[in-house]
Amino acid sequence: MTVYLNGEFLPVDEAKVSVLDRGFLFGDGIYEVIPVYGGRPFRLAHHLGRLDHSLEAIHLANPLDHRQWQGVLQELVQRNGAGDQSLYLQITRGSATTRDHAFPRDAIPTVFAMSTRLESKPADSVTGLNAVAVEDIRWKWCHIKAIALLPNILMRQQAVAQGAEEAIMLRDHFVTEGAASNIFIVNHGVVITPPKSNLLLPGVTRDLVVELCHSSAIPCVEGAISEQQLRAADEIWVTSSTREIVPVLRLDGVPVGNGHPGPLWHRLRDLYQEYKQAFREGRTD
Ligand code: PDD
């Protein structure tokens, strides 16, 4: 595997970062995950826009402009064999000679990117997962795609320990998001997802699902979801760049709806796959 580190393309074993890097010592950095279909990064402008927002929120200038990012990511994808991949990029505040919480004066950000093969599911595949509801134990700036993921890790592990694949977080009895995904429910034919706020990551997949609902006249609202609504939902879905749209079949061991992927999930799955196909064929950006 070839990776990108601070201006160079290197075999992964040769890419080295200082132990004084603030990403390592403090988790002081941000990241993005971008799916690649047919050798092209999907919804790249959206991911780079979110990257800008994350960087701005932590007072770090973007070391590359969008055109440079596009060049770096495209080259990385090519060097790793094109096709379908999952791109990961990370920027930290770099390293300083002493460990001090306050920003170092002249640190040079560390810029890293890697790309791994993405197993694309067949367009008509039906998958599903089990989820558990957990209390959202995170801070209040969850709109930043921060590399400090310890709460998400602990909540995901809690799900795994209970034989589930995702944790759905509740803050004050309202849904925020999944440990590494956004959440949608269906209630009497209406698709609902929590509105964007500082309490959740503005998911690129989430936005596309909302867009697809609107363009196909599927009722969709961005509104608060109470714990009660979640537990009574006809359908629950999780969305993310690497998982796309996945139906939750059991929540805390209780079947969601009839325990099978619902009709609106099938609709959105098809719309999402059509959109992806158009992207692969160069009919959309
Ligand atoms: N995570 N919320 C959280 C907390 C996430 O970590 C993610 C994605 C999402 C979905 O965002 P998007 O649709 O833009 O991928 C929501 C990535 C995939 C990860 O950490 O691996």
Side-chain angles (χ1 to χ4, degrees):
M1 174 169 64
T2 298
V3 302
Y4 172 88
L5 181 64
N6 299 327
E8 281 184 283
F9 292 94
L10 301 162
V12 65
D13 296 342
E14 289 173 25
K16 303 274 188 271
V17 176
S18 164
V19 290
L20 293 179
D21 192 279
R22 290 173 64 92
F24 181 59
L25 292 180
F26 292 112
D28 184 1
I30 55 89
Y31 76 107
E32 273 298 321
V33 176
I34 309 169
V36 172
Y37 300 124
R40 287 171 62 213
F42 188 59
R43 305 286 273 187
L44 182 61
H46 296 77
H47 286 279
L48 293 179
R50 185 171 65 189
L51 178 73
D52 286 337
H53 288 133
S54 293
L55 286 168
E56 206 180 301
I58 70 160
H59 308 285
L60 198 54
N62 197 335
L64 303 178
D65 64 28
H66 286 196
R67 191 182 285 271
Q68 288 170 319
W69 270 118
Q70 191 165 4
V72 165
L73 298 177
Q74 201 65 62
E75 171 139 16
L76 186 63
V77 165
Q78 289 306 320
R79 285 180 185 239
N80 284 298
D84 290 0
Q85 299 183 18
S86 173
L87 267 173
Y88 175 90
L89 68 90
Q90 169 174 317
I91 303 164
T92 75
R93 207 178 301 279
S95 58
T97 43
T98 52
R99 181 182 174 277
D100 182 358
H101 289 62
F103 298 170
R105 226 173 253 284
D106 302 312
I108 298 165
T110 302
V111 183
F112 171 66
M114 64 179 169
S115 198
T116 50
R117 245 183 82 78
L118 182 66
E119 288 304 332
S120 259
K121 298 158 227 110
D124 60 351
S125 72
V126 174
T127 49
L129 56 76
N130 297 324
V132 295
V134 301
E135 193 197 332
D136 193 339
I137 56 172
R138 300 173 302 165
W139 68 337
K140 291 186 181 159
W141 283 15
C142 301
H143 56 298
I144 302 172
K145 204 159 169 59
I147 59 170
L149 286 172
L150 198 47
N152 305 60
I153 289 167
L154 294 176
M155 289 184 288
R156 170 67 69 79
Q157 193 56 36
Q158 195 177 325
V160 169
Q162 292 176 50
E165 291 89 23
E166 185 57 307
I168 299 179
M169 300 185 253
L170 297 163
R171 199 187 278 261
D172 301 328
H173 301 286
F174 281 86
V175 174
T176 53
E177 58 183 332
S181 57
N182 289 111
I183 303 297
F184 286 76
I185 67 164
V186 176
N187 189 358
H188 300 296
V190 180
V191 176
I192 312 173
T193 193
K196 289 183 194 174
S197 77
N198 59 314
L199 299 182
L200 56 102
L201 189 79
V204 173
T205 319
R206 169 203 181 278
D207 285 356
L208 179 52
V209 170
V210 170
E211 233 177 88
L212 292 172
C213 284
H214 290 329
S215 59
S216 298
I218 296 167
C220 175
V221 294
E222 297 178 61
I225 301 172
S226 68
E227 177 170 2
Q228 209 177 5
Q229 276 177 300
L230 176 74
R231 295 195 188 279
D234 300 320
E235 301 185 29
I236 303 175
W237 317 328
V238 305
T239 66
S240 85
S241 292
T242 43
R243 282 173 146 164
E244 302 179 359
I245 317 171
V246 183
V248 175
L249 304 183
R250 282 175 177 269
L251 176 65
D252 290 330
V254 179
V256 176
N258 63 7
H260 296 285
L264 274 171
W265 175 77
H266 277 98
R267 250 332 264 292
L268 263 302
R269 191 267 322 261
D270 290 348
L271 289 168
Y272 197 89
Q273 294 307 324
E274 279 163 27
Y275 189 94
K276 253 174 76 178
Q277 191 54 30
F279 175 79
R280 278 183 198 283
E281 292 168 9
R283 288 186 277 123
T284 181
D285 280 338

